[in-house]
Each structure stands twice: as C-alpha cells, then as structure tokens.
Amino acid sequence: MTDKTAPEERSRDASREPLNDMEDGSVPASLPTADPAETLSRLLNGYQATQALHVAARLGIVDVLQDGPKTAQVLADRVGAHEPSLRRFLGFLTTLGLLTHDSEGHFAATPVGALLRADHPESERPWALLLGAPPIWQPWGELYEAVVSGRPAFERVYGERFFTYLGHNPEQAALFNAAMSSDSANVADILDAYDFSGSHTIVDVGGGRGALLRGILERAPQAKGILFDLPAVLAEAEAGLEAREVVLTGKCERVGGDMFQSVPAGGDVYVLKRIVHDWSDAEAIQILRNCRQAMSDQGKLLLIEQVRQPATQAGPATATDLMMLVLVTGRERTEEEFRGLLAAAGFGLARVIPVGWRSIIEGVCV
Ligand code: SAH
C-alpha cells in the first residue's frame, strides 16, 4: 500500500490512544458502563465488532462515503454487495458508531468511521484488514487451547510458525506488512525522542517495508541505513516502497537474511522495533547476541517496545501480550525482564525513554 501523505500529516499525537488491541492493548468494548449486564453483553459480542470493521474496510464503505452521504442502494452498487444484506450491515455499523444515517436513509461516516478510509492520514484500515483476516482471526478461536497448553494457538491451527506461514502466503503477508508499516510511518514522536545525529550506519533488524528506517534517515541525513528482514519480505512486490526514495539515493541498502543466523555487520545503531516481543527469552537472546556480534564495542542497541508495568497485571500491554500468546512464542516484558535479556546478550540497559504508550530501550555494549 503506497503512502501518499506528507510526513507531517502522518505524525500523530503521542498522547492519543491507538485504536486496536494489537497496537497498544486498548479495548474500547471494555470501557465500564453503569450497567454490569450491558457491559458484559458488549464484551460478549466483541467478536462482531472486529469482523464488522474488517468487512467495512474490505468493502471500502467509508471510502465511497467520502464524497457525501449515500443510500444503501447506491452503496451496494458502488461496493458490489447484496443490497438487503448490506442494508442490515450498515445498520450494525451505525450501532457501532462508525456511521450515521438521516431520515431519508442516507449514510455518512462519523469521525471514528472515517479512520477506516484508505487515504486518511491516520488510517487504521490496514489494521482492520489484518485483525479480521484468517491468520489472526482463526487462532483467536483457539485461545482456550493456548491458555491451557501455553503453546501458540497459531501453530495449532496452521501447523507451522507464524512467520513461516507468512513466508509462503504472500497475500496474508502483505496485510501483515502493511499494518506494521502503517504503524512505523506514524512514529514521529519516537524518532524525535532519540538523537541519531551522531550515527553513521543504522541497521533496522526486522524492519519490514522500511517505513521506520526512512523516518530515521530523514532525521539523520549524514547516516546510511541497512534494512534487514526475511528475503520474502524484502522481495514482496510492494516491499521497500516506503524506503524507496532512500534506496534509490543510495542512502539505504536492503539485505535479506535470517536474524537467528546473523545480522548485517558494521552498524553503529541497531534498531529492533516490535521484534523482541515476538520471541521467547531464548530466541530473543539469540537475536540480540547476533546484534552484539555484528557491532563494534561503541555500538548502540535500540529496542522499541511496550514496557509492561511490574506492579500490576492490568494495563495496555496485556492485550498485545495475549496476541503474542495466540500467535507466537513472545510476550510483553517489564523493564527488569528487558534488562535480563540484554545482560544475557552482552548489553547493559543504559536508559528507557518512554514515548506515549511505548518506549525506546537503549542497550550499550558491556
Ligand atoms: N519492525 C517492523 C516490523 C515488525 S513485525 C515494525 O515495527 O513495523 C516483525 C518483523 O520481523 C517482520 O517484518 C518479519 O518479517 C521479521 N522477521 C521475522 N522473522 C525473522 C527472521 N528470522 N529474520 C529476519 N526478520 C524476521
């Protein structure tokens, strides 16, 4: 998915809560209401909202509404749906607060619904497409087994590991990479919180389509970047589109490989955004050791992750944590747990810089 918006339009308010559970753990359906039965009922039916948002995004309903309110009949023609069924569906979207409709039967998007538009500067459409798609949706149906067995539900459903599956399912991989990329294109707050001005070679380990690295290189014109990810991700038709300008100008190189084997050598900054949380302690330590081996003693390691609060089990990281239980072997970690991982891989935890709902965890070589 190409990103046509200017960087300044994409920057989002750091204090704004993201809209989906995979992103930060906020679950709007769990907001308390006065009536316990109503609250529970809303929670019980939460699955309907996820799938309705997914279908609305796939049909592009709010995109069609951008040039003005429309009747169900017009919408059905434009999106190619069965009109009586679409009418029922639009009613539900209205109940959810995504649409309004007037007495003449014209539907319009609310500000919440508008966030599903493909061209909205803070579009959540890639997340709606991903969270209702089979590789996320089906394993959540096996949450019970994951909680009882401690094994990723994904592997029970698909018989292989999450990233292995994505490696040979390009359509699903494209949905996943687009959602990651939409997040990485909206992190001006994170990039502004760290000084990259002294760096010469920045390696983004598991950097996906390169949206984060592009943002870093825009702020560090003296530096060169290395975008490192699985070969299939870099080879994906759209892969690297976000980093295209920097690749074309020679400021950024793309290197395909397996971070469990090795990562590109010679960087002075190794950035890992949403990587460590995908993996068990042993796996994460292996990745971090490979980073340590690839860098000089002056190198810096930057993990961009949610830091889970030790004092309480509740909090925004818990839903993402559960997503990790369902899909992969990883989890969200506390600062002490990050310190332990870093120590096992030859790093000291220099500082944690909180930015909005996540943090930059800086490791230095010891
Ligand atoms: N850092 C990006 C993507 C995070 S998703 C962002 O925050 O937007 C995790 C990334 O790890 C994916 O791009 C995935 O392809 C990559 N990855 C998974 N296994 C890998 C491996 N063995 N070697 C290299 N990259 C891997």
Side-chain angles (χ1 to χ4, degrees):
M1 187 174 297
T2 45
D3 188 343
K4 302 190 189 72
T5 55
E8 60 274 16
E9 283 176 307
R10 287 194 310 266
S11 65
R12 67 167 68 176
D13 176 1
S15 63
R16 202 203 82 182
E17 288 278 307
L19 295 166
N20 57 68
D21 59 352
M22 197 163 169
E23 200 177 343
D24 86 319
S26 63
V27 183
S30 66
L31 291 175
T33 64
D35 179 359
E38 192 191 321
T39 302
L40 190 69
S41 169
R42 200 168 345 151
L43 291 172
L44 275 172
N45 292 306
Y47 70 96
Q48 296 182 340
T50 302
Q51 205 49 242
L53 289 165
H54 173 76
V55 173
R58 266 177 86 172
L59 290 172
I61 287 173
V62 291
D63 304 84
V64 172
L65 291 175
Q66 198 181 355
D67 59 359
K70 308 254 176 323
T71 62
Q73 184 62 63
V74 171
L75 273 168
D77 291 344
R78 293 278 293 274
V79 305
H82 177 240
E83 193 271 333
S85 303
L86 185 74
R87 186 180 292 277
R88 293 157 70 183
F89 182 59
L90 295 173
F92 185 59
L93 294 182
T94 306
T95 304
L96 289 179
L98 299 174
L99 304 179
T100 56
H101 70 90
D102 64 19
S103 54
E104 274 136 42
H106 291 95
F107 290 90
T110 65
V112 177
L115 288 168
L116 289 181
R117 240 176 42 220
D119 69 350
H120 193 288
E122 293 182 1
S123 179
E124 297 285 341
R125 183 168 190 265
W127 286 97
L129 293 177
L130 176 67
L131 295 175
I136 310 289
W137 177 253
Q138 290 183 0
W140 271 92
E142 302 287 326
L143 175 63
Y144 175 87
E145 293 298 335
V147 172
V148 169
S149 73
R151 295 297 309 153
F154 185 90
E155 291 172 29
R156 184 181 165 83
V157 175
Y158 287 100
E160 60 185 340
R161 303 191 78 177
F162 183 69
F163 289 108
T164 311
Y165 165 93
L166 291 186
H168 57 86
N169 284 279
E171 276 183 30
Q172 301 301 328
L175 295 181
F176 178 82
N177 294 332
M180 294 303 128
S181 195
S182 80
D183 176 55
S184 285
N186 277 312
V187 289
D189 52 343
I190 294 180
L191 299 180
D192 291 340
Y194 195 85
D195 180 9
F196 291 95
S197 64
S199 320
H200 61 77
T201 306
I202 298 159
V203 185
D204 191 349
V205 177
R209 294 182 176 181
L212 182 80
L213 190 54
R214 180 183 64 180
I216 295 175
L217 293 175
E218 280 167 3
R219 286 163 177 78
Q222 80 293 344
K224 123 179 209 301
I226 301 178
L227 178 62
F228 178 73
D229 208 299
L230 292 167
V233 174
L234 297 180
E236 185 196 311
E238 287 187 328
L241 268 188
E242 285 82 351
R244 187 173 49 193
E245 310 96 75
V246 279
V247 170
L248 289 178
T249 57
K251 271 180 65 82
C252 182
E253 194 186 331
R254 281 182 280 169
V255 178
D258 176 1
M259 62 194 175
F260 290 100
Q261 301 296 321
S262 64
V263 305
D268 56 342
V269 179
Y270 285 73
V271 184
L272 291 83
K273 175 169 167 287
R274 296 182 110 147
I275 301 299
V276 165
H277 83 154
D278 286 336
W279 304 99
S280 68
D281 285 359
E283 290 164 326
I285 290 167
Q286 181 64 43
I287 298 166
L288 298 180
R289 280 192 181 142
N290 288 344
C291 293
R292 177 67 189 88
Q293 269 195 352
M295 68 173 69
S296 71
D297 289 348
Q298 285 68 48
K300 297 262 172 65
L301 178 82
L302 302 183
L303 309 182
I304 302 174
E305 298 279 358
Q306 291 188 67
V307 175
R308 196 178 168 135
Q309 294 307 310
T312 164
Q313 290 295 302
T318 56
T320 325
D321 188 47
L322 208 55
M323 181 67 92
M324 297 304 119
L325 177 68
V326 167
L327 297 182
V328 289
T329 51
R331 63 202 167 86
E332 302 302 334
R333 294 177 170 91
T334 63
E335 182 174 328
E336 275 321 294
E337 288 168 335
F338 279 115
R339 193 185 302 280
L341 287 187
L342 292 186
F347 293 100
L349 196 160
R351 55 192 171 137
V352 176
I353 308 167
V355 191
W357 49 278
R358 52 190 153 189
S359 298
I360 304 173
I361 300 153
E362 184 186 56
V364 291
C365 302
V366 289

mmCIF file of all heavy atoms in Angstrom, residues 200 265-270 288-301 345-348 350 362-366:
data_model
loop_
_atom_site.group_PDB
_atom_site.id
_atom_site.type_symbol
_atom_site.label_atom_id
_atom_site.label_comp_id
_atom_site.label_asym_id
_atom_site.label_seq_id
_atom_site.Cartn_x
_atom_site.Cartn_y
_atom_site.Cartn_z
ATOM 1 N N HIS A 200 26.429 6.716 12.033
ATOM 2 C CA HIS A 200 26.846 6.628 10.619
ATOM 3 C C HIS A 200 26.150 5.504 9.875
ATOM 4 O O HIS A 200 25.820 5.626 8.718
ATOM 5 C CB HIS A 200 28.379 6.546 10.482
ATOM 6 C CG HIS A 200 28.992 5.342 11.153
ATOM 7 N ND1 HIS A 200 28.949 4.076 10.620
ATOM 8 C CD2 HIS A 200 29.663 5.239 12.332
ATOM 9 C CE1 HIS A 200 29.571 3.236 11.430
ATOM 10 N NE2 HIS A 200 30.017 3.909 12.475
ATOM 11 N N ALA A 265 26.726 -6.705 9.520
ATOM 12 C CA ALA A 265 27.777 -6.168 10.397
ATOM 13 C C ALA A 265 28.057 -4.710 10.066
ATOM 14 O O ALA A 265 27.687 -4.216 8.998
ATOM 15 C CB ALA A 265 29.043 -7.005 10.235
ATOM 16 N N GLY A 266 28.715 -4.037 11.004
ATOM 17 C CA GLY A 266 29.258 -2.711 10.724
ATOM 18 C C GLY A 266 28.379 -1.538 11.098
ATOM 19 O O GLY A 266 28.763 -0.396 10.888
ATOM 20 N N GLY A 267 27.187 -1.797 11.639
ATOM 21 C CA GLY A 267 26.340 -0.680 12.048
ATOM 22 C C GLY A 267 26.800 -0.122 13.388
ATOM 23 O O GLY A 267 27.442 -0.835 14.169
ATOM 24 N N ASP A 268 26.479 1.132 13.632
ATOM 25 C CA ASP A 268 26.732 1.637 14.988
ATOM 26 C C ASP A 268 25.436 1.761 15.779
ATOM 27 O O ASP A 268 25.460 1.938 16.992
ATOM 28 C CB ASP A 268 27.534 2.945 14.995
ATOM 29 C CG ASP A 268 26.883 4.045 14.180
ATOM 30 O OD1 ASP A 268 26.021 3.730 13.334
ATOM 31 O OD2 ASP A 268 27.240 5.209 14.374
ATOM 32 N N VAL A 269 24.289 1.671 15.080
ATOM 33 C CA VAL A 269 22.997 1.626 15.772
ATOM 34 C C VAL A 269 22.174 0.477 15.180
ATOM 35 O O VAL A 269 22.021 0.387 13.958
ATOM 36 C CB VAL A 269 22.223 2.955 15.606
ATOM 37 C CG1 VAL A 269 20.876 2.875 16.301
ATOM 38 C CG2 VAL A 269 23.024 4.129 16.147
ATOM 39 N N TYR A 270 21.684 -0.389 16.053
ATOM 40 C CA TYR A 270 20.816 -1.488 15.625
ATOM 41 C C TYR A 270 19.434 -1.247 16.236
ATOM 42 O O TYR A 270 19.305 -1.200 17.465
ATOM 43 C CB TYR A 270 21.392 -2.845 16.075
ATOM 44 C CG TYR A 270 22.573 -3.244 15.215
ATOM 45 C CD1 TYR A 270 23.806 -2.606 15.346
ATOM 46 C CD2 TYR A 270 22.439 -4.219 14.223
ATOM 47 C CE1 TYR A 270 24.869 -2.923 14.527
ATOM 48 C CE2 TYR A 270 23.506 -4.546 13.395
ATOM 49 C CZ TYR A 270 24.717 -3.893 13.551
ATOM 50 O OH TYR A 270 25.771 -4.196 12.723
ATOM 51 N N LEU A 288 19.568 -10.922 19.906
ATOM 52 C CA LEU A 288 20.362 -9.825 20.488
ATOM 53 C C LEU A 288 21.850 -10.152 20.470
ATOM 54 O O LEU A 288 22.686 -9.276 20.234
ATOM 55 C CB LEU A 288 19.879 -9.529 21.914
ATOM 56 C CG LEU A 288 18.422 -9.056 22.019
ATOM 57 C CD1 LEU A 288 18.050 -8.784 23.471
ATOM 58 C CD2 LEU A 288 18.192 -7.801 21.178
ATOM 59 N N ARG A 289 22.189 -11.422 20.680
ATOM 60 C CA ARG A 289 23.611 -11.815 20.595
ATOM 61 C C ARG A 289 24.136 -11.598 19.181
ATOM 62 O O ARG A 289 25.266 -11.159 18.995
ATOM 63 C CB ARG A 289 23.782 -13.293 20.965
ATOM 64 C CG ARG A 289 23.786 -13.505 22.444
ATOM 65 C CD ARG A 289 24.254 -14.917 22.796
ATOM 66 N NE ARG A 289 24.206 -15.070 24.246
ATOM 67 C CZ ARG A 289 23.836 -16.173 24.868
ATOM 68 N NH1 ARG A 289 23.489 -17.248 24.180
ATOM 69 N NH2 ARG A 289 23.833 -16.214 26.183
ATOM 70 N N ASN A 290 23.307 -11.902 18.200
ATOM 71 C CA ASN A 290 23.746 -11.683 16.813
ATOM 72 C C ASN A 290 23.953 -10.199 16.540
ATOM 73 O O ASN A 290 24.857 -9.833 15.799
ATOM 74 C CB ASN A 290 22.748 -12.302 15.834
ATOM 75 C CG ASN A 290 22.817 -13.828 15.839
ATOM 76 O OD1 ASN A 290 23.797 -14.396 16.333
ATOM 77 N ND2 ASN A 290 21.795 -14.478 15.319
ATOM 78 N N CYS A 291 23.130 -9.361 17.148
ATOM 79 C CA CYS A 291 23.341 -7.910 17.012
ATOM 80 C C CYS A 291 24.655 -7.524 17.689
ATOM 81 O O CYS A 291 25.441 -6.747 17.140
ATOM 82 C CB CYS A 291 22.188 -7.129 17.640
ATOM 83 S SG CYS A 291 20.631 -7.336 16.784
ATOM 84 N N ARG A 292 24.872 -8.067 18.878
ATOM 85 C CA ARG A 292 26.109 -7.734 19.619
ATOM 86 C C ARG A 292 27.339 -8.122 18.797
ATOM 87 O O ARG A 292 28.311 -7.372 18.727
ATOM 88 C CB ARG A 292 26.097 -8.463 20.969
ATOM 89 C CG ARG A 292 27.354 -8.258 21.814
ATOM 90 C CD ARG A 292 27.475 -6.821 22.266
ATOM 91 N NE ARG A 292 28.761 -6.531 22.891
ATOM 92 C CZ ARG A 292 29.860 -6.146 22.236
ATOM 93 N NH1 ARG A 292 29.834 -6.027 20.922
ATOM 94 N NH2 ARG A 292 30.970 -5.883 22.886
ATOM 95 N N GLN A 293 27.282 -9.303 18.189
ATOM 96 C CA GLN A 293 28.413 -9.779 17.381
ATOM 97 C C GLN A 293 28.660 -8.916 16.159
ATOM 98 O O GLN A 293 29.785 -8.770 15.704
ATOM 99 C CB GLN A 293 28.135 -11.200 16.889
ATOM 100 C CG GLN A 293 28.662 -12.227 17.841
ATOM 101 C CD GLN A 293 28.729 -13.606 17.225
ATOM 102 O OE1 GLN A 293 28.231 -13.810 16.112
ATOM 103 N NE2 GLN A 293 29.337 -14.533 17.930
ATOM 104 N N ALA A 294 27.576 -8.354 15.636
ATOM 105 C CA ALA A 294 27.697 -7.594 14.383
ATOM 106 C C ALA A 294 28.221 -6.184 14.607
ATOM 107 O O ALA A 294 28.666 -5.535 13.671
ATOM 108 C CB ALA A 294 26.325 -7.526 13.705
ATOM 109 N N MET A 295 28.173 -5.704 15.847
ATOM 110 C CA MET A 295 28.513 -4.284 16.077
ATOM 111 C C MET A 295 29.846 -4.138 16.814
ATOM 112 O O MET A 295 30.340 -5.070 17.442
ATOM 113 C CB MET A 295 27.388 -3.586 16.856
ATOM 114 C CG MET A 295 27.227 -4.042 18.284
ATOM 115 S SD MET A 295 26.030 -3.059 19.238
ATOM 116 C CE MET A 295 24.465 -3.458 18.531
ATOM 117 N N SER A 296 30.395 -2.936 16.729
ATOM 118 C CA SER A 296 31.623 -2.653 17.476
ATOM 119 C C SER A 296 31.255 -2.381 18.938
ATOM 120 O O SER A 296 30.068 -2.262 19.276
ATOM 121 C CB SER A 296 32.306 -1.425 16.886
ATOM 122 O OG SER A 296 31.543 -0.287 17.215
ATOM 123 N N ASP A 297 32.271 -2.234 19.783
ATOM 124 C CA ASP A 297 32.015 -2.027 21.214
ATOM 125 C C ASP A 297 31.321 -0.700 21.498
ATOM 126 O O ASP A 297 30.771 -0.496 22.576
ATOM 127 C CB ASP A 297 33.327 -2.086 22.006
ATOM 128 C CG ASP A 297 33.872 -3.508 22.059
ATOM 129 O OD1 ASP A 297 33.124 -4.433 21.684
ATOM 130 O OD2 ASP A 297 35.035 -3.681 22.450
ATOM 131 N N GLN A 298 31.379 0.203 20.516
ATOM 132 C CA GLN A 298 30.720 1.509 20.713
ATOM 133 C C GLN A 298 29.267 1.484 20.223
ATOM 134 O O GLN A 298 28.554 2.480 20.318
ATOM 135 C CB GLN A 298 31.466 2.624 19.961
ATOM 136 C CG GLN A 298 32.770 3.070 20.624
ATOM 137 C CD GLN A 298 33.837 1.984 20.562
ATOM 138 O OE1 GLN A 298 34.064 1.410 19.494
ATOM 139 N NE2 GLN A 298 34.463 1.692 21.693
ATOM 140 N N GLY A 299 28.839 0.358 19.688
ATOM 141 C CA GLY A 299 27.503 0.271 19.084
ATOM 142 C C GLY A 299 26.384 0.447 20.107
ATOM 143 O O GLY A 299 26.560 0.215 21.301
ATOM 144 N N LYS A 300 25.233 0.869 19.598
ATOM 145 C CA LYS A 300 24.036 1.023 20.441
ATOM 146 C C LYS A 300 22.941 0.107 19.917
ATOM 147 O O LYS A 300 22.789 -0.074 18.709
ATOM 148 C CB LYS A 300 23.526 2.469 20.379
ATOM 149 C CG LYS A 300 24.514 3.505 20.927
ATOM 150 C CD LYS A 300 24.158 3.857 22.356
ATOM 151 C CE LYS A 300 25.212 4.717 23.018
ATOM 152 N NZ LYS A 300 25.345 6.039 22.406
ATOM 153 N N LEU A 301 22.174 -0.407 20.853
ATOM 154 C CA LEU A 301 21.027 -1.239 20.517
ATOM 155 C C LEU A 301 19.773 -0.486 20.944
ATOM 156 O O LEU A 301 19.697 -0.014 22.082
ATOM 157 C CB LEU A 301 21.127 -2.554 21.302
ATOM 158 C CG LEU A 301 20.000 -3.550 21.132
ATOM 159 C CD1 LEU A 301 20.220 -4.357 19.846
ATOM 160 C CD2 LEU A 301 19.951 -4.508 22.326
ATOM 161 N N ALA A 345 22.840 -11.087 26.541
ATOM 162 C CA ALA A 345 23.373 -10.943 25.184
ATOM 163 C C ALA A 345 24.577 -10.000 25.136
ATOM 164 O O ALA A 345 25.048 -9.652 24.065
ATOM 165 C CB ALA A 345 22.266 -10.438 24.255
ATOM 166 N N GLY A 346 25.056 -9.562 26.317
ATOM 167 C CA GLY A 346 26.257 -8.717 26.335
ATOM 168 C C GLY A 346 25.993 -7.223 26.296
ATOM 169 O O GLY A 346 26.856 -6.442 25.906
ATOM 170 N N PHE A 347 24.794 -6.834 26.726
ATOM 171 C CA PHE A 347 24.447 -5.401 26.745
ATOM 172 C C PHE A 347 24.074 -4.965 28.161
ATOM 173 O O PHE A 347 23.511 -5.751 28.934
ATOM 174 C CB PHE A 347 23.227 -5.115 25.864
ATOM 175 C CG PHE A 347 23.440 -5.312 24.391
ATOM 176 C CD1 PHE A 347 22.997 -6.472 23.764
ATOM 177 C CD2 PHE A 347 24.075 -4.342 23.630
ATOM 178 C CE1 PHE A 347 23.179 -6.657 22.394
ATOM 179 C CE2 PHE A 347 24.267 -4.519 22.262
ATOM 180 C CZ PHE A 347 23.826 -5.680 21.646
ATOM 181 N N GLY A 348 24.333 -3.707 28.458
ATOM 182 C CA GLY A 348 23.778 -3.102 29.659
ATOM 183 C C GLY A 348 22.610 -2.222 29.258
ATOM 184 O O GLY A 348 22.613 -1.644 28.165
ATOM 185 N N ALA A 350 21.088 1.029 29.231
ATOM 186 C CA ALA A 350 21.547 2.394 29.523
ATOM 187 C C ALA A 350 20.401 3.266 29.983
ATOM 188 O O ALA A 350 20.503 3.996 30.960
ATOM 189 C CB ALA A 350 22.210 2.995 28.291
ATOM 190 N N GLU A 362 17.413 1.557 25.421
ATOM 191 C CA GLU A 362 18.747 1.678 24.826
ATOM 192 C C GLU A 362 19.726 0.726 25.527
ATOM 193 O O GLU A 362 19.872 0.771 26.747
ATOM 194 C CB GLU A 362 19.246 3.125 24.949
ATOM 195 C CG GLU A 362 20.580 3.339 24.253
ATOM 196 C CD GLU A 362 21.131 4.735 24.507
ATOM 197 O OE1 GLU A 362 21.285 5.117 25.687
ATOM 198 O OE2 GLU A 362 21.414 5.441 23.526
ATOM 199 N N GLY A 363 20.352 -0.106 24.725
ATOM 200 C CA GLY A 363 21.378 -1.012 25.255
ATOM 201 C C GLY A 363 22.756 -0.580 24.787
ATOM 202 O O GLY A 363 22.911 -0.150 23.648
ATOM 203 N N VAL A 364 23.737 -0.677 25.691
ATOM 204 C CA VAL A 364 25.128 -0.383 25.319
ATOM 205 C C VAL A 364 25.968 -1.635 25.601
ATOM 206 O O VAL A 364 25.626 -2.463 26.448
ATOM 207 C CB VAL A 364 25.692 0.818 26.119
ATOM 208 C CG1 VAL A 364 25.003 2.102 25.689
ATOM 209 C CG2 VAL A 364 25.528 0.603 27.616
ATOM 210 N N CYS A 365 27.063 -1.754 24.865
ATOM 211 C CA CYS A 365 27.902 -2.945 24.999
ATOM 212 C C CYS A 365 28.633 -2.922 26.334
ATOM 213 O O CYS A 365 29.085 -1.874 26.774
ATOM 214 C CB CYS A 365 28.913 -2.999 23.858
ATOM 215 S SG CYS A 365 28.123 -3.010 22.247
ATOM 216 N N VAL A 366 28.700 -4.097 26.976
ATOM 217 C CA VAL A 366 29.463 -4.159 28.251
ATOM 218 C C VAL A 366 30.644 -5.117 28.072
ATOM 219 O O VAL A 366 30.684 -5.898 27.134
ATOM 220 C CB VAL A 366 28.577 -4.630 29.424
ATOM 221 C CG1 VAL A 366 27.602 -3.533 29.781
ATOM 222 C CG2 VAL A 366 27.832 -5.921 29.087
#
